[in-house]
Amino acid sequence: VIRAFSTSTLHFHAVKTVTVIGSGLMGSGIAQVAAATGHKVTLVDKTKEIVDKAEVSIKKSIDRIVKKKFPDDAKAQLKYSTDVLANLNMSTDVLTAVKSSDLVIEAIVENLDVKRELFGLLDNAAPEKTLFASNTSSIPIKDIASVTKRKDKFGGLHFFNPVPLMKLLEVIRIPETSDETYNLLDAFGKALGKTTVQCKDTPGFIVNRLLVPYMVEAIRLVERGDASPRDVDTAMKLGAGYPMGPFELLDYVGLDTTKFIIDGWSKRDPENPLFKPSPILNKLVDDNKLGLKTGEGFYKYNKQ
Ligand code: 3HC
């Protein structure tokens, strides 16, 4: 009896409607996965042009998934796509969207002031029960949450690129995050099909705290003239079993993103040798060679 009661309680509270704010690579991926796992999702961005572009990229990703999931079954492919898209609504009106949301996930630009302004507005517009989460990879969750009156309902949900494929979700608590909020965020992550790990609100959480210094150390190795990017990548793929080498991954993630993260950490902890600026990274970012998305970073790509 107790078990039935607790299950139904969980079910009653479980996150069903989600607003994702910011329709870039991460926001689109989060919205797609949430829609694919039966949640009612509204993906919001500033203009119709931006959300239209996001919708096209989500459709492309769904196409890749259905071809893999149902290789010779056009009917099943169509049904999957139709079902996912039926759960997904695109919008430019964030304040209306959050009114009917159990959970809001923010995946906008990595700028504290902009995030605080947004959450200040959301705090007034969203119902009291609505949970708030940020997908930030470099800003302390507590600095964002402190603008709201619902710090107990605030946490971090840190996804990985490409969101539809990467199986991990970091669930971040600040000291004020209630157990109920944490449990709901964790259950939501599991409902998305992700494996969740818990981490305190510390710079880089788990993955980026290890991965970003590793990638920048790879650049330093090249800066010293010890090896070429190509050979470092081959070495780490074949010698350490990584799916991508550090330079492929740098280009994939975006060199601006990595520079932004390392610069932020260096400001806070200038003595840490792992966080020191890298001349090659800075030069490439200055030249707008940001990786895959601009057609050139450490490698050259055919622009898609
Ligand atoms: N949506 C749907 N399907 C996708 C996709 C997407 N966005 N991207 C790739 N796929 C599919 C492809 O269509 C392909 O399907 P197929 O096998 O039927 O052809 C399949 O995934 C495999 O893709 P690829 O053959 O192109 O490449 P890989 O086999 O190397 O897998 C990968 C791609 C999963 C990205 C793998 O290379 C990988 O795990 N790389 C490391 C990624 C990583 O470390 N991400 C974390 C970055 S850090 C981060 O995100 C944090 C942030 O805060 C900075």
Side-chain angles (χ1 to χ4, degrees), residues 26 32 60-62 64-65 67-68 135-137 158-166 207-208 211 243-244 249 252-253 257 261:
M26 299 305 283
Q32 179 189 327
K60 272 191 197 152
S61 174
I62 293 173
R64 290 167 86 172
I65 288 167
K67 284 202 179 102
K68 204 168 177 180
N135 176 57
T136 181
S137 55
H158 188 228
F159 290 85
F160 298 88
N161 185 24
V163 180
L165 298 190
M166 301 308 283
V207 172
N208 280 349
L211 196 57
M244 287 178 175
L249 190 55
Y252 188 68
V253 168
T257 305
I261 294 174

PDB file of all heavy atoms in Angstrom, residues 26 32 60-62 64-65 67-68 135-137 158-166 207-208 211 243-244 249 252-253 257 261, ligand 1:
ATOM      1  N   MET A  26      22.053  23.318 -27.885  1.00  0.00           N
ATOM      2  CA  MET A  26      21.672  22.623 -26.654  1.00  0.00           C
ATOM      3  C   MET A  26      20.163  22.672 -26.437  1.00  0.00           C
ATOM      4  O   MET A  26      19.535  21.642 -26.208  1.00  0.00           O
ATOM      5  CB  MET A  26      22.390  23.230 -25.439  1.00  0.00           C
ATOM      6  CG  MET A  26      23.891  23.152 -25.487  1.00  0.00           C
ATOM      7  SD  MET A  26      24.523  21.493 -25.722  1.00  0.00           S
ATOM      8  CE  MET A  26      24.329  20.806 -24.104  1.00  0.00           C
ATOM      9  N   GLN A  32      14.000  18.453 -28.127  1.00  0.00           N
ATOM     10  CA  GLN A  32      13.751  17.260 -28.944  1.00  0.00           C
ATOM     11  C   GLN A  32      13.647  16.006 -28.083  1.00  0.00           C
ATOM     12  O   GLN A  32      12.722  15.194 -28.239  1.00  0.00           O
ATOM     13  CB  GLN A  32      14.893  17.117 -29.955  1.00  0.00           C
ATOM     14  CG  GLN A  32      14.765  15.903 -30.844  1.00  0.00           C
ATOM     15  CD  GLN A  32      16.031  15.700 -31.679  1.00  0.00           C
ATOM     16  OE1 GLN A  32      16.675  16.677 -32.061  1.00  0.00           O
ATOM     17  NE2 GLN A  32      16.380  14.458 -31.950  1.00  0.00           N
ATOM     18  N   LYS A  60      15.944  17.451 -38.828  1.00  0.00           N
ATOM     19  CA  LYS A  60      17.107  16.727 -39.393  1.00  0.00           C
ATOM     20  C   LYS A  60      17.605  15.670 -38.407  1.00  0.00           C
ATOM     21  O   LYS A  60      17.934  14.543 -38.789  1.00  0.00           O
ATOM     22  CB  LYS A  60      18.249  17.718 -39.670  1.00  0.00           C
ATOM     23  CG  LYS A  60      18.172  18.331 -41.040  1.00  0.00           C
ATOM     24  CD  LYS A  60      19.473  19.080 -41.339  1.00  0.00           C
ATOM     25  CE  LYS A  60      19.276  20.038 -42.488  1.00  0.00           C
ATOM     26  NZ  LYS A  60      20.161  21.186 -42.436  1.00  0.00           N
ATOM     27  N   SER A  61      17.682  16.058 -37.145  1.00  0.00           N
ATOM     28  CA  SER A  61      18.152  15.121 -36.132  1.00  0.00           C
ATOM     29  C   SER A  61      17.182  13.943 -35.991  1.00  0.00           C
ATOM     30  O   SER A  61      17.600  12.781 -35.897  1.00  0.00           O
ATOM     31  CB  SER A  61      18.309  15.862 -34.799  1.00  0.00           C
ATOM     32  OG  SER A  61      18.633  14.961 -33.787  1.00  0.00           O
ATOM     33  N   ILE A  62      15.870  14.257 -36.006  1.00  0.00           N
ATOM     34  CA  ILE A  62      14.866  13.183 -35.916  1.00  0.00           C
ATOM     35  C   ILE A  62      15.004  12.229 -37.109  1.00  0.00           C
ATOM     36  O   ILE A  62      14.921  11.013 -36.959  1.00  0.00           O
ATOM     37  CB  ILE A  62      13.430  13.773 -35.845  1.00  0.00           C
ATOM     38  CG1 ILE A  62      13.244  14.532 -34.525  1.00  0.00           C
ATOM     39  CG2 ILE A  62      12.377  12.672 -35.982  1.00  0.00           C
ATOM     40  CD1 ILE A  62      11.924  15.285 -34.419  1.00  0.00           C
ATOM     41  N   ARG A  64      17.677  11.474 -38.727  1.00  0.00           N
ATOM     42  CA  ARG A  64      18.829  10.587 -38.507  1.00  0.00           C
ATOM     43  C   ARG A  64      18.465   9.491 -37.513  1.00  0.00           C
ATOM     44  O   ARG A  64      18.861   8.334 -37.683  1.00  0.00           O
ATOM     45  CB  ARG A  64      20.010  11.399 -37.969  1.00  0.00           C
ATOM     46  CG  ARG A  64      20.606  12.334 -38.992  1.00  0.00           C
ATOM     47  CD  ARG A  64      21.534  13.327 -38.360  1.00  0.00           C
ATOM     48  NE  ARG A  64      22.883  12.809 -38.228  1.00  0.00           N
ATOM     49  CZ  ARG A  64      23.921  13.552 -37.845  1.00  0.00           C
ATOM     50  NH1 ARG A  64      23.766  14.831 -37.566  1.00  0.00           N
ATOM     51  NH2 ARG A  64      25.120  13.017 -37.734  1.00  0.00           N
ATOM     52  N   ILE A  65      17.706   9.868 -36.487  1.00  0.00           N
ATOM     53  CA  ILE A  65      17.350   8.892 -35.452  1.00  0.00           C
ATOM     54  C   ILE A  65      16.410   7.814 -36.003  1.00  0.00           C
ATOM     55  O   ILE A  65      16.617   6.625 -35.776  1.00  0.00           O
ATOM     56  CB  ILE A  65      16.730   9.613 -34.233  1.00  0.00           C
ATOM     57  CG1 ILE A  65      17.844  10.365 -33.493  1.00  0.00           C
ATOM     58  CG2 ILE A  65      16.026   8.632 -33.298  1.00  0.00           C
ATOM     59  CD1 ILE A  65      17.368  11.347 -32.468  1.00  0.00           C
ATOM     60  N   LYS A  67      16.004   6.802 -39.041  1.00  0.00           N
ATOM     61  CA  LYS A  67      16.662   5.929 -40.028  1.00  0.00           C
ATOM     62  C   LYS A  67      17.429   4.824 -39.304  1.00  0.00           C
ATOM     63  O   LYS A  67      17.546   3.704 -39.793  1.00  0.00           O
ATOM     64  CB  LYS A  67      17.601   6.747 -40.905  1.00  0.00           C
ATOM     65  CG  LYS A  67      16.817   7.551 -41.917  1.00  0.00           C
ATOM     66  CD  LYS A  67      17.635   7.963 -43.127  1.00  0.00           C
ATOM     67  CE  LYS A  67      16.780   8.743 -44.088  1.00  0.00           C
ATOM     68  NZ  LYS A  67      17.010  10.198 -44.013  1.00  0.00           N
ATOM     69  N   LYS A  68      17.954   5.159 -38.142  1.00  0.00           N
ATOM     70  CA  LYS A  68      18.724   4.199 -37.356  1.00  0.00           C
ATOM     71  C   LYS A  68      17.788   3.271 -36.572  1.00  0.00           C
ATOM     72  O   LYS A  68      18.011   2.072 -36.486  1.00  0.00           O
ATOM     73  CB  LYS A  68      19.587   4.985 -36.382  1.00  0.00           C
ATOM     74  CG  LYS A  68      20.799   4.256 -35.924  1.00  0.00           C
ATOM     75  CD  LYS A  68      21.703   5.233 -35.226  1.00  0.00           C
ATOM     76  CE  LYS A  68      22.922   4.552 -34.681  1.00  0.00           C
ATOM     77  NZ  LYS A  68      23.786   5.507 -34.002  1.00  0.00           N
ATOM     78  N   ASN A 135      20.855  25.280 -17.899  1.00  0.00           N
ATOM     79  CA  ASN A 135      21.805  24.359 -18.536  1.00  0.00           C
ATOM     80  C   ASN A 135      23.193  25.005 -18.627  1.00  0.00           C
ATOM     81  O   ASN A 135      24.049  24.554 -19.393  1.00  0.00           O
ATOM     82  CB  ASN A 135      21.276  23.981 -19.936  1.00  0.00           C
ATOM     83  CG  ASN A 135      22.234  23.113 -20.721  1.00  0.00           C
ATOM     84  OD1 ASN A 135      22.624  22.038 -20.264  1.00  0.00           O
ATOM     85  ND2 ASN A 135      22.655  23.573 -21.901  1.00  0.00           N
ATOM     86  N   THR A 136      23.430  26.023 -17.833  1.00  0.00           N
ATOM     87  CA  THR A 136      24.726  26.704 -17.911  1.00  0.00           C
ATOM     88  C   THR A 136      25.889  25.734 -17.702  1.00  0.00           C
ATOM     89  O   THR A 136      25.788  24.790 -16.910  1.00  0.00           O
ATOM     90  CB  THR A 136      24.841  27.848 -16.872  1.00  0.00           C
ATOM     91  OG1 THR A 136      26.118  28.465 -17.044  1.00  0.00           O
ATOM     92  CG2 THR A 136      24.714  27.346 -15.441  1.00  0.00           C
ATOM     93  N   SER A 137      26.986  25.991 -18.418  1.00  0.00           N
ATOM     94  CA  SER A 137      28.157  25.145 -18.202  1.00  0.00           C
ATOM     95  C   SER A 137      29.245  25.926 -17.482  1.00  0.00           C
ATOM     96  O   SER A 137      30.284  25.363 -17.151  1.00  0.00           O
ATOM     97  CB  SER A 137      28.684  24.601 -19.529  1.00  0.00           C
ATOM     98  OG  SER A 137      28.944  25.660 -20.400  1.00  0.00           O
ATOM     99  N   HIS A 158      22.534  19.901 -16.592  1.00  0.00           N
ATOM    100  CA  HIS A 158      23.606  20.129 -17.559  1.00  0.00           C
ATOM    101  C   HIS A 158      23.694  18.969 -18.545  1.00  0.00           C
ATOM    102  O   HIS A 158      24.063  17.852 -18.191  1.00  0.00           O
ATOM    103  CB  HIS A 158      24.947  20.340 -16.834  1.00  0.00           C
ATOM    104  CG  HIS A 158      26.039  20.754 -17.755  1.00  0.00           C
ATOM    105  ND1 HIS A 158      27.281  20.180 -17.773  1.00  0.00           N
ATOM    106  CD2 HIS A 158      26.044  21.680 -18.743  1.00  0.00           C
ATOM    107  CE1 HIS A 158      28.007  20.739 -18.719  1.00  0.00           C
ATOM    108  NE2 HIS A 158      27.281  21.650 -19.322  1.00  0.00           N
ATOM    109  N   PHE A 159      23.338  19.293 -19.798  1.00  0.00           N
ATOM    110  CA  PHE A 159      23.297  18.295 -20.874  1.00  0.00           C
ATOM    111  C   PHE A 159      24.589  18.342 -21.676  1.00  0.00           C
ATOM    112  O   PHE A 159      25.378  19.283 -21.570  1.00  0.00           O
ATOM    113  CB  PHE A 159      22.125  18.605 -21.811  1.00  0.00           C
ATOM    114  CG  PHE A 159      20.769  18.356 -21.205  1.00  0.00           C
ATOM    115  CD1 PHE A 159      20.145  19.326 -20.416  1.00  0.00           C
ATOM    116  CD2 PHE A 159      20.110  17.165 -21.421  1.00  0.00           C
ATOM    117  CE1 PHE A 159      18.892  19.100 -19.871  1.00  0.00           C
ATOM    118  CE2 PHE A 159      18.848  16.933 -20.879  1.00  0.00           C
ATOM    119  CZ  PHE A 159      18.237  17.907 -20.100  1.00  0.00           C
ATOM    120  N   PHE A 160      24.751  17.358 -22.557  1.00  0.00           N
ATOM    121  CA  PHE A 160      25.978  17.250 -23.361  1.00  0.00           C
ATOM    122  C   PHE A 160      25.632  17.157 -24.834  1.00  0.00           C
ATOM    123  O   PHE A 160      24.616  16.576 -25.208  1.00  0.00           O
ATOM    124  CB  PHE A 160      26.800  16.034 -22.883  1.00  0.00           C
ATOM    125  CG  PHE A 160      27.199  16.226 -21.457  1.00  0.00           C
ATOM    126  CD1 PHE A 160      26.368  15.818 -20.434  1.00  0.00           C
ATOM    127  CD2 PHE A 160      28.348  16.927 -21.152  1.00  0.00           C
ATOM    128  CE1 PHE A 160      26.691  16.091 -19.112  1.00  0.00           C
ATOM    129  CE2 PHE A 160      28.685  17.198 -19.836  1.00  0.00           C
ATOM    130  CZ  PHE A 160      27.849  16.783 -18.814  1.00  0.00           C
ATOM    131  N   ASN A 161      26.509  17.702 -25.612  1.00  0.00           N
ATOM    132  CA  ASN A 161      26.326  17.806 -27.048  1.00  0.00           C
ATOM    133  C   ASN A 161      26.921  16.575 -27.748  1.00  0.00           C
ATOM    134  O   ASN A 161      28.078  16.259 -27.472  1.00  0.00           O
ATOM    135  CB  ASN A 161      27.052  19.095 -27.484  1.00  0.00           C
ATOM    136  CG  ASN A 161      26.858  19.411 -28.933  1.00  0.00           C
ATOM    137  OD1 ASN A 161      25.880  18.985 -29.536  1.00  0.00           O
ATOM    138  ND2 ASN A 161      27.801  20.130 -29.496  1.00  0.00           N
ATOM    139  N   PRO A 162      26.199  15.892 -28.622  1.00  0.00           N
ATOM    140  CA  PRO A 162      24.816  16.107 -29.068  1.00  0.00           C
ATOM    141  C   PRO A 162      23.800  15.516 -28.083  1.00  0.00           C
ATOM    142  O   PRO A 162      23.885  14.318 -27.774  1.00  0.00           O
ATOM    143  CB  PRO A 162      24.768  15.383 -30.409  1.00  0.00           C
ATOM    144  CG  PRO A 162      25.812  14.307 -30.322  1.00  0.00           C
ATOM    145  CD  PRO A 162      26.856  14.783 -29.368  1.00  0.00           C
ATOM    146  N   VAL A 163      22.872  16.348 -27.656  1.00  0.00           N
ATOM    147  CA  VAL A 163      21.938  15.938 -26.596  1.00  0.00           C
ATOM    148  C   VAL A 163      21.172  14.647 -26.929  1.00  0.00           C
ATOM    149  O   VAL A 163      21.007  13.798 -26.065  1.00  0.00           O
ATOM    150  CB  VAL A 163      20.965  17.094 -26.259  1.00  0.00           C
ATOM    151  CG1 VAL A 163      20.007  16.680 -25.158  1.00  0.00           C
ATOM    152  CG2 VAL A 163      21.735  18.343 -25.839  1.00  0.00           C
ATOM    153  N   PRO A 164      20.733  14.447 -28.186  1.00  0.00           N
ATOM    154  CA  PRO A 164      19.989  13.216 -28.440  1.00  0.00           C
ATOM    155  C   PRO A 164      20.842  11.947 -28.256  1.00  0.00           C
ATOM    156  O   PRO A 164      20.292  10.873 -28.014  1.00  0.00           O
ATOM    157  CB  PRO A 164      19.540  13.348 -29.902  1.00  0.00           C
ATOM    158  CG  PRO A 164      19.587  14.812 -30.184  1.00  0.00           C
ATOM    159  CD  PRO A 164      20.726  15.348 -29.365  1.00  0.00           C
ATOM    160  N   LEU A 165      22.150  12.061 -28.370  1.00  0.00           N
ATOM    161  CA  LEU A 165      22.992  10.859 -28.292  1.00  0.00           C
ATOM    162  C   LEU A 165      23.696  10.681 -26.953  1.00  0.00           C
ATOM    163  O   LEU A 165      23.941   9.557 -26.524  1.00  0.00           O
ATOM    164  CB  LEU A 165      24.070  10.877 -29.384  1.00  0.00           C
ATOM    165  CG  LEU A 165      23.624  10.889 -30.836  1.00  0.00           C
ATOM    166  CD1 LEU A 165      24.827  10.646 -31.734  1.00  0.00           C
ATOM    167  CD2 LEU A 165      22.554   9.864 -31.117  1.00  0.00           C
ATOM    168  N   MET A 166      24.088  11.763 -26.317  1.00  0.00           N
ATOM    169  CA  MET A 166      24.887  11.640 -25.096  1.00  0.00           C
ATOM    170  C   MET A 166      23.983  11.199 -23.948  1.00  0.00           C
ATOM    171  O   MET A 166      22.936  11.787 -23.711  1.00  0.00           O
ATOM    172  CB  MET A 166      25.598  12.963 -24.759  1.00  0.00           C
ATOM    173  CG  MET A 166      26.541  13.461 -25.863  1.00  0.00           C
ATOM    174  SD  MET A 166      27.741  12.248 -26.437  1.00  0.00           S
ATOM    175  CE  MET A 166      28.909  12.318 -25.112  1.00  0.00           C
ATOM    176  N   VAL A 207      31.978  16.773 -15.625  1.00  0.00           N
ATOM    177  CA  VAL A 207      32.546  16.509 -16.958  1.00  0.00           C
ATOM    178  C   VAL A 207      33.439  17.653 -17.433  1.00  0.00           C
ATOM    179  O   VAL A 207      34.595  17.438 -17.816  1.00  0.00           O
ATOM    180  CB  VAL A 207      31.434  16.219 -17.990  1.00  0.00           C
ATOM    181  CG1 VAL A 207      32.014  16.148 -19.407  1.00  0.00           C
ATOM    182  CG2 VAL A 207      30.735  14.909 -17.664  1.00  0.00           C
ATOM    183  N   ASN A 208      32.925  18.872 -17.410  1.00  0.00           N
ATOM    184  CA  ASN A 208      33.724  19.981 -17.942  1.00  0.00           C
ATOM    185  C   ASN A 208      34.948  20.287 -17.084  1.00  0.00           C
ATOM    186  O   ASN A 208      35.966  20.749 -17.596  1.00  0.00           O
ATOM    187  CB  ASN A 208      32.873  21.233 -18.101  1.00  0.00           C
ATOM    188  CG  ASN A 208      32.025  21.185 -19.369  1.00  0.00           C
ATOM    189  OD1 ASN A 208      32.230  20.321 -20.210  1.00  0.00           O
ATOM    190  ND2 ASN A 208      31.089  22.090 -19.488  1.00  0.00           N
ATOM    191  N   LEU A 211      37.176  17.667 -18.563  1.00  0.00           N
ATOM    192  CA  LEU A 211      37.323  17.672 -20.016  1.00  0.00           C
ATOM    193  C   LEU A 211      37.974  18.958 -20.540  1.00  0.00           C
ATOM    194  O   LEU A 211      38.806  18.903 -21.453  1.00  0.00           O
ATOM    195  CB  LEU A 211      35.935  17.500 -20.641  1.00  0.00           C
ATOM    196  CG  LEU A 211      35.850  17.111 -22.101  1.00  0.00           C
ATOM    197  CD1 LEU A 211      36.590  15.807 -22.369  1.00  0.00           C
ATOM    198  CD2 LEU A 211      34.385  16.963 -22.523  1.00  0.00           C
ATOM    199  N   PRO A 243      36.062   8.597 -28.222  1.00  0.00           N
ATOM    200  CA  PRO A 243      35.414   8.570 -29.539  1.00  0.00           C
ATOM    201  C   PRO A 243      35.913   9.665 -30.471  1.00  0.00           C
ATOM    202  O   PRO A 243      35.925   9.494 -31.690  1.00  0.00           O
ATOM    203  CB  PRO A 243      33.931   8.776 -29.221  1.00  0.00           C
ATOM    204  CG  PRO A 243      33.888   9.365 -27.852  1.00  0.00           C
ATOM    205  CD  PRO A 243      35.115   8.892 -27.136  1.00  0.00           C
ATOM    206  N   MET A 244      36.323  10.800 -29.899  1.00  0.00           N
ATOM    207  CA  MET A 244      36.914  11.883 -30.695  1.00  0.00           C
ATOM    208  C   MET A 244      38.205  12.278 -30.005  1.00  0.00           C
ATOM    209  O   MET A 244      38.286  12.248 -28.774  1.00  0.00           O
ATOM    210  CB  MET A 244      36.024  13.128 -30.685  1.00  0.00           C
ATOM    211  CG  MET A 244      34.770  13.044 -31.480  1.00  0.00           C
ATOM    212  SD  MET A 244      33.859  14.614 -31.258  1.00  0.00           S
ATOM    213  CE  MET A 244      32.520  14.353 -32.367  1.00  0.00           C
ATOM    214  N   LEU A 249      37.157  17.296 -30.823  1.00  0.00           N
ATOM    215  CA  LEU A 249      36.134  17.671 -29.844  1.00  0.00           C
ATOM    216  C   LEU A 249      36.085  19.188 -29.641  1.00  0.00           C
ATOM    217  O   LEU A 249      35.004  19.770 -29.549  1.00  0.00           O
ATOM    218  CB  LEU A 249      36.394  16.943 -28.518  1.00  0.00           C
ATOM    219  CG  LEU A 249      35.284  17.047 -27.465  1.00  0.00           C
ATOM    220  CD1 LEU A 249      33.941  16.576 -28.021  1.00  0.00           C
ATOM    221  CD2 LEU A 249      35.636  16.229 -26.231  1.00  0.00           C
ATOM    222  N   TYR A 252      34.247  20.533 -32.407  1.00  0.00           N
ATOM    223  CA  TYR A 252      32.840  20.108 -32.325  1.00  0.00           C
ATOM    224  C   TYR A 252      32.067  20.962 -31.315  1.00  0.00           C
ATOM    225  O   TYR A 252      30.972  21.450 -31.581  1.00  0.00           O
ATOM    226  CB  TYR A 252      32.811  18.632 -31.931  1.00  0.00           C
ATOM    227  CG  TYR A 252      31.448  17.993 -31.977  1.00  0.00           C
ATOM    228  CD1 TYR A 252      30.795  17.787 -33.184  1.00  0.00           C
ATOM    229  CD2 TYR A 252      30.819  17.586 -30.801  1.00  0.00           C
ATOM    230  CE1 TYR A 252      29.543  17.195 -33.226  1.00  0.00           C
ATOM    231  CE2 TYR A 252      29.571  16.991 -30.836  1.00  0.00           C
ATOM    232  CZ  TYR A 252      28.944  16.794 -32.050  1.00  0.00           C
ATOM    233  OH  TYR A 252      27.705  16.215 -32.077  1.00  0.00           O
ATOM    234  N   VAL A 253      32.695  21.173 -30.154  1.00  0.00           N
ATOM    235  CA  VAL A 253      32.056  21.954 -29.086  1.00  0.00           C
ATOM    236  C   VAL A 253      32.034  23.444 -29.451  1.00  0.00           C
ATOM    237  O   VAL A 253      31.109  24.180 -29.086  1.00  0.00           O
ATOM    238  CB  VAL A 253      32.816  21.746 -27.754  1.00  0.00           C
ATOM    239  CG1 VAL A 253      32.402  22.743 -26.698  1.00  0.00           C
ATOM    240  CG2 VAL A 253      32.616  20.333 -27.230  1.00  0.00           C
ATOM    241  N   THR A 257      33.368  28.533 -27.068  1.00  0.00           N
ATOM    242  CA  THR A 257      32.800  27.991 -25.821  1.00  0.00           C
ATOM    243  C   THR A 257      33.915  27.594 -24.857  1.00  0.00           C
ATOM    244  O   THR A 257      33.891  27.946 -23.676  1.00  0.00           O
ATOM    245  CB  THR A 257      31.927  26.754 -26.144  1.00  0.00           C
ATOM    246  OG1 THR A 257      30.955  27.155 -27.099  1.00  0.00           O
ATOM    247  CG2 THR A 257      31.252  26.196 -24.915  1.00  0.00           C
ATOM    248  N   ILE A 261      34.881  29.332 -21.201  1.00  0.00           N
ATOM    249  CA  ILE A 261      34.910  28.587 -19.932  1.00  0.00           C
ATOM    250  C   ILE A 261      36.266  28.768 -19.245  1.00  0.00           C
ATOM    251  O   ILE A 261      36.348  29.103 -18.065  1.00  0.00           O
ATOM    252  CB  ILE A 261      34.617  27.082 -20.173  1.00  0.00           C
ATOM    253  CG1 ILE A 261      33.177  26.901 -20.665  1.00  0.00           C
ATOM    254  CG2 ILE A 261      34.856  26.270 -18.897  1.00  0.00           C
ATOM    255  CD1 ILE A 261      32.819  25.474 -21.078  1.00  0.00           C
TER     256      ILE A 261
HETATM  257  N1  3HC B   1      21.025  13.831 -33.758  1.00  0.00           N
HETATM  258  C1  3HC B   1      20.705  12.597 -34.140  1.00  0.00           C
HETATM  259  N2  3HC B   1      21.596  11.693 -34.542  1.00  0.00           N
HETATM  260  C2  3HC B   1      22.884  12.062 -34.571  1.00  0.00           C
HETATM  261  C3  3HC B   1      23.300  13.349 -34.188  1.00  0.00           C
HETATM  262  C4  3HC B   1      22.309  14.261 -33.763  1.00  0.00           C
HETATM  263  N3  3HC B   1      22.595  15.509 -33.373  1.00  0.00           N
HETATM  264  N4  3HC B   1      24.649  13.416 -34.311  1.00  0.00           N
HETATM  265  C5  3HC B   1      25.061  12.216 -34.749  1.00  0.00           C
HETATM  266  N5  3HC B   1      23.996  11.395 -34.916  1.00  0.00           N
HETATM  267  C6  3HC B   1      23.982  10.006 -35.358  1.00  0.00           C
HETATM  268  C7  3HC B   1      24.538   9.864 -36.736  1.00  0.00           C
HETATM  269  O1  3HC B   1      23.524  10.046 -37.696  1.00  0.00           O
HETATM  270  C8  3HC B   1      25.069   8.463 -36.739  1.00  0.00           C
HETATM  271  O2  3HC B   1      24.067   7.552 -37.075  1.00  0.00           O
HETATM  272  P1  3HC B   1      24.455   6.254 -37.946  1.00  0.00           P
HETATM  273  O3  3HC B   1      25.327   5.425 -37.058  1.00  0.00           O
HETATM  274  O4  3HC B   1      23.143   5.643 -38.253  1.00  0.00           O
HETATM  275  O5  3HC B   1      25.168   6.785 -39.142  1.00  0.00           O
HETATM  276  C9  3HC B   1      25.425   8.206 -35.299  1.00  0.00           C
HETATM  277  O6  3HC B   1      24.834   9.247 -34.540  1.00  0.00           O
HETATM  278  C10 3HC B   1      26.895   8.194 -35.102  1.00  0.00           C
HETATM  279  O7  3HC B   1      27.425   9.416 -35.549  1.00  0.00           O
HETATM  280  P2  3HC B   1      28.747   9.529 -36.378  1.00  0.00           P
HETATM  281  O8  3HC B   1      28.993   8.310 -37.205  1.00  0.00           O
HETATM  282  O9  3HC B   1      28.729  10.848 -37.081  1.00  0.00           O
HETATM  283  O10 3HC B   1      29.894   9.657 -35.315  1.00  0.00           O
HETATM  284  P3  3HC B   1      30.302   8.812 -34.040  1.00  0.00           P
HETATM  285  O11 3HC B   1      30.002   7.379 -34.191  1.00  0.00           O
HETATM  286  O12 3HC B   1      31.682   9.258 -33.750  1.00  0.00           O
HETATM  287  O13 3HC B   1      29.380   9.348 -32.884  1.00  0.00           O
HETATM  288  C11 3HC B   1      29.369  11.077 -31.254  1.00  0.00           C
HETATM  289  C12 3HC B   1      29.184  10.705 -32.704  1.00  0.00           C
HETATM  290  C13 3HC B   1      28.286  10.442 -30.387  1.00  0.00           C
HETATM  291  C14 3HC B   1      29.203  12.602 -31.225  1.00  0.00           C
HETATM  292  C15 3HC B   1      30.755  10.600 -30.717  1.00  0.00           C
HETATM  293  O14 3HC B   1      31.753  10.986 -31.578  1.00  0.00           O
HETATM  294  C16 3HC B   1      31.054  11.150 -29.351  1.00  0.00           C
HETATM  295  O15 3HC B   1      30.583  10.643 -28.342  1.00  0.00           O
HETATM  296  N6  3HC B   1      31.881  12.220 -29.299  1.00  0.00           N
HETATM  297  C17 3HC B   1      32.210  12.905 -28.052  1.00  0.00           C
HETATM  298  C18 3HC B   1      31.156  13.928 -27.757  1.00  0.00           C
HETATM  299  C19 3HC B   1      31.394  14.609 -26.453  1.00  0.00           C
HETATM  300  O16 3HC B   1      32.372  14.413 -25.747  1.00  0.00           O
HETATM  301  N7  3HC B   1      30.440  15.489 -26.085  1.00  0.00           N
HETATM  302  C20 3HC B   1      30.524  16.260 -24.883  1.00  0.00           C
HETATM  303  C21 3HC B   1      31.069  17.600 -25.204  1.00  0.00           C
HETATM  304  S1  3HC B   1      31.169  18.609 -23.768  1.00  0.00           S
HETATM  305  C22 3HC B   1      29.656  19.296 -23.637  1.00  0.00           C
HETATM  306  O17 3HC B   1      28.770  19.093 -24.411  1.00  0.00           O
HETATM  307  C23 3HC B   1      29.437  20.172 -22.445  1.00  0.00           C
HETATM  308  C24 3HC B   1      29.255  21.623 -22.812  1.00  0.00           C
HETATM  309  O18 3HC B   1      28.946  22.323 -21.604  1.00  0.00           O
HETATM  310  C25 3HC B   1      30.479  22.253 -23.458  1.00  0.00           C
END
